[in-house]
Amino acid sequence: MLFTTEFMSDLIHAVDKTIKENAAEVTTLDQILGDGDHITNLQRGINALKALDAEIAQLSWSEAYLKTGMTLLTTMGGASGSLFGTFFITMGKETKNAAIINQDLFTEAYIQAVAAVKKRGKSDAGEKTMLDVLIPVADLLEENRLAPATLPDLLDNISLTAISGMQSTRDMLATKGRASYLQEKSIGHIDAGAKTTQLIICTITAELKQHLAD
Ligand code: ADP
Ligand code: MG
C-alpha cells in the first residue's frame, strides 16, 4: 500500500487526540522532572500542524517532513521543540528527491534523524530523555534490515520497543535537560519527552496498521 501525504492529516489528528488524552499525566511528569510546560509546547506545535494539513497534503513526503520540522522548530519552543524540529528536518533532507519512500529509505532516514537529534541535544541513550525511545526504535529498524519481519509485525515490534524504552527512563539518572538539575532525585520517574515520543510513535504505528487493514 502506498501512503500519500494526505495521510499526514490523519496522523496529526490521531496524535492530537492521544496527546490530549495523556496531557494531565505527562504534565505531572514534567512538573516532577522539569518545568511542566512540555505538553503546552507540544500542543502549540500540533495545533500549528493542524492548521497546515491541507497545505501539507499537496507536498511530497520530503517537503512534508521539512514543513513539519520547520513548523515544530518555530512554534514549539523548549528543548523538545528544537529536537523534534531537527528530527523531521533531517527526515526531509534524507528523503529529498525520492518519488516514494520505501522501508529501506525510511529506515535510513530515521536512523540519520535520530543521529541528528543526538548531535543537537549533545546526548545519547541512557540519559533519561526522548532518545531512550528514539534510539531503541532505530536499533530495531536496523536489525529488521537483516531479518525483515512482515510490516504488521514490524509495527507491533516498534510499539513494544517504544513502550519499553519509555519505561526504561524511570530508573535512569537524568544527565541532560532540566531533569539533570535534580541529580539522584530524578530516579524513579518517567521522562516526559520519552513518554510523548512513545505516545506519538505508538499512535502512528496504530494508524498505519489500521490503514493497512482497511
Ligand atoms: P524544556 O526542558 O526546555 O522545558 P520541554 O519541557 O518541552 O522543554 O521538553 C523536555 C523534554 O525534552 C525532556 O523530557 C527530554 O525528553 C527532552 N530533552 C531535553 N533536553 C534534551 C537533550 N539534551 N537531549 C535529548 N532530549 C532532551
Ligand atoms: Mg519543560
Side-chain angles (χ1 to χ4, degrees), residues 50-65:
K50 275 167 74 183
L52 290 174
D53 67 350
E55 191 181 322
I56 289 174
Q58 306 298 318
L59 303 175
S60 69
W61 273 107
S62 169
E63 292 164 339
Y65 285 136

Side-chain angles (χ1 to χ4, degrees), residues 4-72:
T4 68
T5 52
E6 279 175 36
F7 184 54
M8 275 286 276
S9 170
D10 293 3
L11 295 181
I12 294 164
H13 284 83
V15 166
D16 182 39
K17 184 165 173 277
T18 305
I19 293 302
K20 277 187 182 138
E21 286 165 0
N22 292 275
E25 186 193 337
V26 178
T27 295
T28 303
L29 295 176
D30 195 38
Q31 279 166 346
I32 296 169
L33 293 178
D35 55 357
D37 65 348
H38 180 56
I39 282 289
T40 319
N41 292 338
L42 186 53
Q43 287 186 322
R44 210 178 308 118
I46 293 171
N47 288 335
L49 288 178
K50 275 167 74 183
L52 290 174
D53 67 350
E55 191 181 322
I56 289 174
Q58 306 298 318
L59 303 175
S60 69
W61 273 107
S62 169
E63 292 164 339
Y65 285 136
L66 286 174
K67 186 90 196 170
T68 300
M70 287 309 294
T71 304
L72 296 179

Side-chain angles (χ1 to χ4, degrees), residues 3-199:
F3 292 100
T4 68
T5 52
E6 279 175 36
F7 184 54
M8 275 286 276
S9 170
D10 293 3
L11 295 181
I12 294 164
H13 284 83
V15 166
D16 182 39
K17 184 165 173 277
T18 305
I19 293 302
K20 277 187 182 138
E21 286 165 0
N22 292 275
E25 186 193 337
V26 178
T27 295
T28 303
L29 295 176
D30 195 38
Q31 279 166 346
I32 296 169
L33 293 178
D35 55 357
D37 65 348
H38 180 56
I39 282 289
T40 319
N41 292 338
L42 186 53
Q43 287 186 322
R44 210 178 308 118
I46 293 171
N47 288 335
L49 288 178
K50 275 167 74 183
L52 290 174
D53 67 350
E55 191 181 322
I56 289 174
Q58 306 298 318
L59 303 175
S60 69
W61 273 107
S62 169
E63 292 164 339
Y65 285 136
L66 286 174
K67 186 90 196 170
T68 300
M70 287 309 294
T71 304
L72 296 179
L73 195 65
T74 53
T75 60
M76 272 185 67
S80 61
S82 71
L83 299 169
F84 284 149
T86 297
F87 178 88
F88 285 103
I89 289 169
T90 309
M91 288 293 296
K93 285 183 183 160
E94 294 290 324
T95 54
K96 204 165 176 229
N97 301 328
I100 57 158
I101 300 181
N102 61 23
Q103 214 168 292
D104 263 353
L105 179 58
F106 181 87
T107 296
E108 190 52 38
Y110 179 94
I111 289 169
Q112 295 304 327
V114 174
V117 172
K118 280 192 194 180
K119 203 168 162 201
R120 179 91 187 209
K122 298 188 179 63
S123 51
D124 211 329
E127 299 201 84
K128 202 180 181 88
T129 71
M130 60 173 73
L131 281 166
D132 293 304
V133 174
L134 292 172
I135 292 172
V137 171
D139 293 344
L140 174 73
L141 289 172
E142 179 84 66
E143 285 162 24
N144 192 70
R145 288 209 264 214
L146 302 173
T150 64
L151 189 50
D153 283 352
L154 175 61
L155 293 170
D156 285 343
N157 290 339
I158 290 172
S159 301
L160 293 173
T161 301
I163 291 168
S164 67
M166 172 274 288
Q167 285 169 341
S168 75
T169 66
R170 189 192 301 273
D171 295 332
M172 289 177 185
L173 175 79
T175 47
K176 286 283 150 54
R178 290 180 197 277
S180 63
Y181 308 152
L182 296 175
Q183 300 183 355
E184 272 73 28
K185 289 199 180 102
S186 67
I187 296 170
H189 309 281
I190 287 166
D191 171 64
K195 180 71 191 174
T196 56
T197 301
Q198 173 262 310
L199 289 169

